[in-house]
Amino acid sequence: MTKICAFFTAIVTWLTIVFCPAEAVEPVFGETKAHIQTEFNEGEFVMGKYDLVVSPSGDDNNDGSLSSPLKTIGRAKELMKANGENAAATVWFREGTYVIDDVIEFNASDRKNVTYRSYPGEKVEFSGAREISGFTETTVNGVKAYVTDVEINGNEDYFRSLFKDGKSLSRSIYPKEGMLKIADPAQGEAIAGSHAPDFFTHSLAFYAHKSDIPDFANPKDVEVKVMHFWCDEHLPVYSVDKTTGRIETTIASAMRLRVDDNYIFENVKEALSLPGEWYLDRSEEKLYYVPEEGDTPENTVLYAGVNEKILNVINGEGINFQGIDFINTGWDYVDGKHTGIPFPETHPLYKNIKYGTAHPQAAFEVPAAINVEASKEINFTDCRFENISYTALKFDKAATDCDVTSCMFNNIGANAIFIHGDFVVPASTQRINIRDCHISFYGRIFNNAIGILLTHAYDCELMNNEIHDGWYTGVSVGWNWGYSDNSTNKIKICDNLIYNIGNGWLSDMGGIYTLGIQPETVIAGNIIYNVGCDESAYGYGG
């Protein structure tokens, strides 16, 4: 009897534990540590045996000494190959702006163990922009504007980024506030993709509400930008029929268009009105700009981003960049390779197509202004990446043992940093470390971009970075949907401060977003707040 009572007592106790709610206990968290980034000490100038000096006022016929500097990095690279084999050496850049007309190429022939850096206390800029001046005053849409002639030469020099006083200027957009809504997505003309057709259906036309369409003087200068799902579409206009509201484009959408999807028009002459806005008229080959306070036609100097890429390292080793500012690059529409052209030649809109359809996720196919591939020990320290219109910095297939330390990324068109590799186990891209960096205002052109995107890579550290004010996810790690083998693993995502992301435009995002099985990946000590998704009826996540 005693055993029976004990048995029932145990049963009652178990039922009480399982089915009766426990008393709420307030969780106890450790004290939050302040987010402090390590300050970098740039040191002092000491001219080594094999060192060279470069200056904007130098001459490539000089010997590269402090009193007789070279003029270009290209000449410095050639002299480095000829002297000292692989002994440690530094190329010192004196203050000034170095305009990069052609991408700087490094490869296996370049000397190892070389640091390309700024002279201490001096500001050194590698720029992808050309100067535009010679403005005269005019009137556009009833407001004062400046205009100047530009040589476009067809599409080759058609720039889409313009800078002034270290900031990016806005192309004229319509509407000025809020967004427009698609009236009819014309899905009967769309082509469904082979994977998840509810999401990946490609369109070359839609119908707008007729009252939403301005009287475009140059409709083919205009771009439609659609914000939906986790993707923003950049769709250059092919034609506009205001009587029906039909708009046709030269790029097919990457994802299915829906009734009430949000969109805006960019580069609209009829909308040019606010100080700092600009419009490029390709047919007239003229640039229009609404002046800001203090501007005059004589003192206004703008910089057009005409070079999209600055630096390319393939099969390089032991190359360091320190204290260099990479600035002011341009962009073009991404000619997508992921989907290519999903329309058959028999489709009635096939004639409109100019570009392949881009990858719909994480600005995956957007090129990088600075690219490192199949290279070892390529390091960036105390560098600034600002007003970069594509992805700023990419470590591509088989990049290993590279560090990005104490760098600043600001006003980046796509991903600030992209770490990528082949889908093999383990990944060929390994030991890429991002530490003590400040990433702000990323994804400004390609809104679905990430602060730090890591797809296929192994044994990397993303630590003690501050990431904020992007339109999409702060840190994304992995590129494998499901539970199969994953090449991405052993990633440390620790002690990062991530905030003010999403901002109500896209969906399906997070402060930190991971994909695939990653048993040795550690996520710890991160502080994340203010993550906001699309607030319309379609919005979710974040």
Side-chain angles (χ1 to χ4, degrees):
M1 186 72 177
T2 303
K3 290 183 179 179
I4 295 174
C5 289
F7 172 76
F8 279 106
T9 300
I11 291 294
V12 170
T13 302
W14 179 80
L15 291 170
T16 301
I17 293 171
V18 173
F19 293 104
C20 294
E23 183 178 348
V25 177
E26 188 71 23
V28 178
F29 297 97
E31 183 178 350
T32 301
K33 296 180 181 179
H35 184 82
I36 300 174
Q37 289 176 264
T38 304
E39 285 193 23
F40 178 76
N41 183 356
E42 63 178 342
E44 299 179 354
F45 173 75
V46 178
M47 188 77 173
K49 179 179 179 181
Y50 301 109
D51 289 4
L52 296 171
V53 179
V54 180
S55 169
S57 60
D59 190 312
D60 278 349
N61 293 316
N62 290 343
D63 61 10
S65 63
L66 183 60
S67 60
S68 185
L70 304 171
K71 186 175 181 64
T72 68
I73 185 174
R75 180 58 177 158
K77 275 166 32 71
E78 293 305 311
L79 291 179
M80 275 292 160
K81 295 178 185 180
N83 297 308
E85 295 185 351
N86 290 324
T90 299
V91 176
W92 302 87
F93 289 88
R94 300 307 305 265
E95 184 161 337
T97 299
Y98 298 80
V99 177
I100 309 302
D101 294 319
D102 295 310
V103 62
I104 303 167
E105 300 278 1
F106 284 86
N107 54 44
S109 71
D110 283 287
R111 179 172 167 173
K112 303 175 186 177
N113 205 13
V114 178
T115 297
Y116 296 83
R117 62 157 295 175
S118 61
Y119 191 93
E122 296 190 355
K123 188 178 183 63
V124 174
E125 298 177 327
F126 286 9
S127 172
R130 75 161 187 250
E131 180 180 310
I132 296 180
S133 56
F135 288 92
T136 58
E137 188 171 317
T138 187
T139 300
V140 178
N141 303 323
V143 301
K144 182 174 74 173
Y146 296 164
V147 63
T148 190
D149 294 326
V150 291
E151 293 183 8
I152 293 177
N153 300 322
N155 260 345
E156 294 180 3
D157 294 329
Y158 176 30
F159 56 88
R160 297 171 180 83
S161 292
L162 197 64
F163 310 101
K164 173 177 176 280
D165 299 333
K167 67 180 181 181
S168 180
L169 299 175
S170 174
R171 292 197 296 175
S172 54
I173 64 170
Y174 180 87
K176 291 300 185 208
E177 296 182 359
M179 287 178 272
L180 305 174
K181 302 286 185 179
I182 288 178
D184 179 353
Q187 281 298 300
E189 303 174 50
I191 298 293
S194 59
H195 175 66
D198 285 345
F199 290 110
F200 304 117
T201 300
H202 313 294
S203 299
L204 284 163
F206 69 90
Y207 288 88
H209 295 284
K210 289 179 281 187
S211 60
D212 288 343
I213 304 176
D215 292 319
F216 294 124
N218 299 305
K220 290 192 176 183
D221 281 347
V222 176
E223 173 188 319
V224 173
K225 187 168 185 176
V226 180
M227 284 75 70
H228 61 169
F229 297 105
W230 52 86
C231 175
D232 59 311
E233 314 272 6
H234 295 257
L235 308 175
V237 168
Y238 178 81
S239 64
V240 175
D241 186 340
K242 192 169 181 182
T243 61
T244 63
R246 183 178 175 86
I247 297 174
E248 296 179 0
T249 63
T250 64
I251 299 176
S253 66
M255 302 191 74
R256 177 168 61 92
L257 300 181
R258 302 166 295 185
V259 173
D260 288 341
D261 267 348
N262 296 322
Y263 76 95
I264 60 173
F265 294 110
E266 292 191 337
N267 201 45
V268 179
K269 185 174 185 179
E270 293 72 23
L272 185 67
S273 61
L274 299 179
E277 278 191 327
W278 62 280
Y279 165 74
L280 181 62
D281 190 321
R282 284 187 292 172
S283 61
E284 294 183 1
E285 295 196 339
K286 292 184 180 297
L287 171 65
Y288 293 89
Y289 163 71
V290 179
E292 298 179 303
E293 185 176 355
D295 287 342
T296 66
E298 294 75 25
N299 71 13
T300 296
V301 178
L302 308 181
Y303 295 88
V306 293
N307 196 10
E308 297 154 7
K309 301 177 183 180
I310 292 179
L311 183 65
N312 191 34
V313 183
I314 299 181
N315 295 316
E317 182 177 347
I319 302 169
N320 307 292
F321 300 91
Q322 179 181 320
I324 304 293
D325 294 351
F326 301 95
I327 66 167
N328 296 1
T329 61
W331 66 279
D332 197 354
Y333 300 110
V334 176
D335 193 357
K337 303 298 187 293
H338 175 74
T339 303
I341 297 176
F343 286 74
E345 294 184 18
T346 55
H347 194 282
L349 298 182
Y350 184 85
K351 67 181 187 308
N352 298 7
I353 298 174
K354 185 176 179 181
Y355 301 88
T357 300
H359 200 293
Q361 293 168 291
F364 182 86
E365 288 182 327
V366 176
I370 295 91
N371 186 71
V372 177
E373 181 177 349
S375 298
K376 181 180 180 181
E377 296 175 358
I378 311 299
N379 304 312
F380 296 83
T381 305
D382 194 34
C383 292
R384 181 170 66 103
F385 303 79
E386 191 162 29
N387 299 334
I388 301 294
S389 299
Y390 275 157
T391 286
L393 175 59
K394 183 177 183 180
F395 295 95
D396 212 337
K397 300 172 184 177
T400 59
D401 300 291
C402 301
D403 291 339
V404 183
T405 307
S406 299
C407 290
M408 188 270 275
F409 299 77
N410 183 57
N411 194 39
I412 307 300
N415 301 302
I417 303 171
F418 184 4
I419 302 169
H420 180 55
D422 290 312
F423 185 77
V424 293
V425 180
S428 60
T429 299
Q430 299 188 4
R431 296 178 299 281
I432 310 297
N433 303 311
I434 316 298
R435 304 186 186 98
D436 288 307
C437 292
H438 187 179
I439 297 171
S440 58
F441 298 94
Y442 59 92
R444 309 320 285 177
I445 297 170
F446 303 92
N447 299 148
N448 64 346
I450 313 284
I452 302 176
L453 171 63
L454 186 153
T455 52
H456 303 308
Y458 179 78
D459 193 12
C460 302
E461 294 186 357
L462 316 177
M463 300 183 65
N464 207 42
N465 303 291
E466 183 173 356
I467 302 170
H468 61 94
D469 289 281
W471 299 114
Y472 195 58
T473 293
V475 174
S476 184
V477 171
W479 200 249
N480 186 45
W481 288 259
Y483 298 94
S484 60
D485 289 341
N486 190 4
S487 61
T488 299
N489 197 11
K490 201 176 180 183
I491 312 299
K492 291 183 179 179
I493 313 168
C494 300
D495 302 325
N496 300 288
L497 176 61
I498 303 170
Y499 59 97
N500 293 355
I501 64 173
N503 296 329
W505 274 28
L506 300 175
S507 296
D508 200 318
M509 71 188 71
I512 297 173
Y513 197 127
T514 64
L515 285 165
I517 300 172
Q518 302 178 44
E520 294 181 86
T521 288
V522 175
I523 304 174
N526 302 284
I527 300 172
I528 303 169
Y529 63 93
N530 286 2
V531 182
C533 70
D534 175 10
E535 296 179 352
S536 72
Y538 291 130
Y540 69 96

